[in-house]
Amino acid sequence: LARHEGLRPDLTFVHRRGCVFGDANGLASHPRAEWPARAREADLRRIADPRRSVYFAAAPEDLERAGVRFDSRGLVARARPAAAGGAVVAHAVARDRAAASGWVPPAAWPRSASLLGEHPKRYDFVTRKLAVSYSDAAARAYLARGDFAAALAWFEDAARVGFDMPEAQWNVAVTAAAAGDPDRALDALLAARAMAPGRAESASRLALFLASAGRHADAARWFERAFRAAPSAALAEDASRAWRLAGDPARARTWADRAAATGRIG
């Protein structure tokens, strides 16, 4: 819309990888291995410029690690310069994230399903992914305020539209558990697992949920499934710990040995 319709000429759009809107970060003349660092440096310069207001569609992890603070503004997050010296202590990060609770969806804020006429299955994945952003943003705003019931209602709506997106179900599961509805949380985790049976995260999230409920043997089996999907020392250690809590020291030792071996290979 900006490029072809001339919408919002007051805005400059930047794609960190330089694939869209031109090469604003000057990446093309440098080896690809240098691109992430150069993009980060360019972003930090923009954010530090007091004449600019810089927003991101999603807060990049590398900028968060560099100390940049992000305030939610609905579908985007405004970037704030890092503290002096580039270091932000844990309580400052928590304070700035809590500031996101200052934004709440206005009364006219649309639900994702309503944007698609309550018939999300008629739409393609990309359209639905865009629509999901609305309910997801509202849910995260209420989550930041500690209103789990309101957040769950919005995440449920996002999951209606993202009916083939396991991440949407994971959000429902975490929020339902926080809201005191473990049955709904388990249903969402099982739904996510059915959508993406080959993803280790589907199994590991189920394992963590079962472990928190004291079902350590069941948790251990799901950690084993997660390990088989994506072997890692951490998952093997989780399986070992779960078997130890389940009262099976032999299997715990087997998985402890596997964790050590996997760590050496890694």
Side-chain angles (χ1 to χ4, degrees):
L1 289 171
R3 183 158 50 189
H4 298 289
E5 304 286 341
L7 187 68
R8 294 301 302 268
D10 57 313
L11 299 180
T12 298
F13 294 90
V14 177
H15 184 236
R16 300 190 89 204
R17 298 176 186 172
C19 303
V20 189
F21 310 122
D23 186 16
N25 292 332
L27 306 178
S29 59
H30 295 270
R32 187 175 292 270
E34 297 178 8
W35 287 12
R38 292 188 66 84
R40 181 172 61 255
E41 290 169 4
D43 284 334
L44 290 173
R45 286 195 297 271
R46 292 187 191 98
I47 294 166
D49 185 344
R51 299 168 298 174
R52 294 177 180 264
S53 296
V54 183
Y55 296 82
F56 286 78
E61 291 183 4
D62 62 318
L63 293 182
E64 287 189 313
R65 288 193 297 270
V68 176
R69 299 162 293 161
F70 291 92
D71 298 336
S72 174
R73 292 294 182 270
L75 298 183
V76 294
R78 184 172 183 178
R80 305 287 186 178
V88 177
V89 295
H91 75 269
V93 174
R95 179 199 62 213
D96 291 325
R97 286 181 175 170
S101 63
W103 180 85
V104 292
W109 191 260
R111 292 185 181 272
S112 299
S114 68
L115 287 171
L116 304 183
E118 304 296 336
H119 295 287
K121 291 188 177 180
R122 296 178 180 176
Y123 293 84
D124 62 274
F125 181 86
V126 173
T127 302
R128 290 187 293 106
K129 186 76 170 176
L130 291 170
V132 162
S133 300
Y134 284 81
S135 285
D136 187 77
R140 293 182 187 281
Y142 284 112
L143 200 61
R145 297 168 68 87
D147 189 341
F148 301 120
L152 179 58
W154 284 97
F155 274 137
E156 290 276 20
D157 186 74
R160 282 187 60 205
V161 175
F163 53 80
D164 53 354
M165 304 173 191
E167 295 84 358
Q169 294 294 339
W170 293 335
N171 289 336
V172 169
V174 170
T175 312
D181 190 348
D183 290 338
R184 180 66 190 98
L186 182 57
D187 287 344
L189 288 169
L190 291 171
R193 166 70 179 177
M195 290 177 199
R199 289 181 63 173
E201 191 170 0
S202 294
S204 64
R205 284 176 176 268
L206 259 171
L208 289 169
F209 177 82
L210 292 167
S212 68
R215 296 172 56 179
H216 300 298
D218 290 333
R221 295 185 182 94
W222 281 105
F223 278 129
E224 291 178 357
R225 291 186 178 97
F227 179 89
R228 286 193 286 272
S232 73
L235 286 172
E237 289 169 358
D238 287 336
S240 175
R241 186 180 304 109
W243 280 122
R244 186 170 63 254
L245 291 171
D248 192 332
R251 291 186 77 164
R253 283 194 299 273
T254 296
W255 280 95
D257 292 343
R258 190 165 294 175
T262 305
R264 288 194 295 271
I265 292 172

